[in-house]
């Protein structure tokens, strides 16, 4: 069912704080995009971490970085999305499956649209801001955490902790891999992480709203 009896994918206990978090994340993306528009070198903040243009990671961590990077490639990302969405359908949670697809898709789409607008490059003409890989894995982690929060009936504190932890772990893992492999500057990873934080809550709200409206139409005589 997709009616009002179906669990919301945006848990009511988290709505009060997710809106401000999403707005702040969007502001960070805008600020970083303006600061690094048209740049082709690491900024001061980037140099605090590492020389992001150097492929310095060595075995066995290079294998870990490459495996993590694969999760953000089309084949790896599609496999993850299909697997999670299928799990939702098997649990009879079509609304959740819709969020898996829409949440990750809209996040990656937003990152893709932002790249040419910002025009930041790395290794020649490779557009780098924001990191689409980081945005994808953060978005998927956020979606799964939101669904777990709703299914487990977690309150505001526990749900907030779970969602933040998932976002941090997903974003940090992929961000590290992208910087370690020299594919992105650290601030590109931050931009990708914030893109997911800004897009996923809004997408979850839209999925709930669309599902509720569809249920209303079905219930009308």
């Amino acid at each position: 069912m997709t009616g009002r009896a179906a669990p919301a994918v945006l848990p009511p206990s988290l709505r009060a704080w997710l809106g401000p978090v999403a707005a702040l994340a969007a502001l960070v993306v805008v600020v970083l995009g303006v600061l690094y528009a048209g740049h082709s070198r690491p900024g001061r903040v980037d140099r605090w971490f590492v020389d992001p243009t150097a492929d310095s990671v060595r075995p066995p961590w290079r294998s870990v970085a490459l495996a993590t990077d694969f999760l953000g490639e089309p084949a790896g990302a599609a496999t993850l999305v299909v697997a999670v969405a299928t799990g939702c359908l098997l649990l009879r949670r079509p609304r959740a499956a819709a969020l898996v697809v829409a949440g990750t898709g809209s996040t990656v789409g937003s990152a893709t649209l932002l790249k040419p607008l910002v025009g930041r490059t790395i290794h020649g003409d490779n557009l780098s801001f924001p990191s689409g890989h980081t945005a994808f894995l953060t978005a998927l982690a956020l979606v799964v955490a939101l669904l777990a929060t709703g299914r487990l009936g977690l309150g505001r504190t526990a749900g907030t902790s779970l969602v933040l932890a998932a976002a941090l772990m997903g974003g940090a893992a992929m961000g590290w891999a992208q910087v370690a492999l020299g594919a992105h500057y650290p601030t590109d990873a931050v931009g990708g992480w914030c893109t997911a934080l800004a897009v996923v809550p809004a997408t979850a709200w839209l999925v709930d709203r669309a599902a509720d409206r569809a249920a209303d139409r079905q219930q009308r005589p």
Side-chain angles (χ1 to χ4, degrees), residues 164-190:
L164 286 179
L168 285 172
M169 287 190 294
M174 185 60 80
W176 166 78
Q178 295 308 297
V179 174
L181 294 173
H184 284 282
Y185 305 109
T187 44
D188 294 336
V190 173

Side-chain angles (χ1 to χ4, degrees), residues 99-127:
L99 177 61
V100 173
V101 176
T104 55
S106 58
T107 298
V108 173
S110 297
T112 301
L113 290 174
L114 285 170
K115 285 179 183 290
L117 292 177
V118 176
R120 191 185 198 188
T121 58
I122 190 170
H123 304 317
D125 59 354
N126 296 310
L127 295 172

Side-chain angles (χ1 to χ4, degrees), residues 50-58 61-70 73 122-123 133 174-184:
V50 68
D51 181 357
T53 60
D55 189 5
S56 58
V57 66
R58 298 178 180 179
W61 291 109
R62 178 173 174 78
S63 297
V64 176
L66 288 171
T68 305
D69 174 74
F70 174 74
E73 292 293 316
I122 190 170
H123 304 317
H133 282 61
M174 185 60 80
W176 166 78
Q178 295 308 297
V179 174
L181 294 173
H184 284 282

Side-chain angles (χ1 to χ4, degrees), residues 4-108:
R4 293 188 183 278
V9 291
L10 184 60
S13 61
L14 304 185
R15 290 176 186 172
W17 73 269
L18 276 183
V21 168
L24 179 60
L27 178 61
V28 172
V29 173
V30 172
V31 170
L32 290 178
V34 171
L35 286 176
Y36 295 111
H39 287 210
S40 59
R41 298 179 182 178
R44 181 180 301 176
V45 175
D46 298 313
R47 294 191 183 95
W48 288 348
F49 297 95
V50 68
D51 181 357
T53 60
D55 189 5
S56 58
V57 66
R58 298 178 180 179
W61 291 109
R62 178 173 174 78
S63 297
V64 176
L66 288 171
T68 305
D69 174 74
F70 174 74
L71 298 179
E73 292 293 316
T79 300
L80 285 176
V81 170
V82 169
V84 177
T86 299
C88 292
L89 292 175
L90 291 175
L91 292 172
R92 297 182 179 180
R93 296 287 299 278
R95 190 184 297 204
L99 177 61
V100 173
V101 176
T104 55
S106 58
T107 298
V108 173

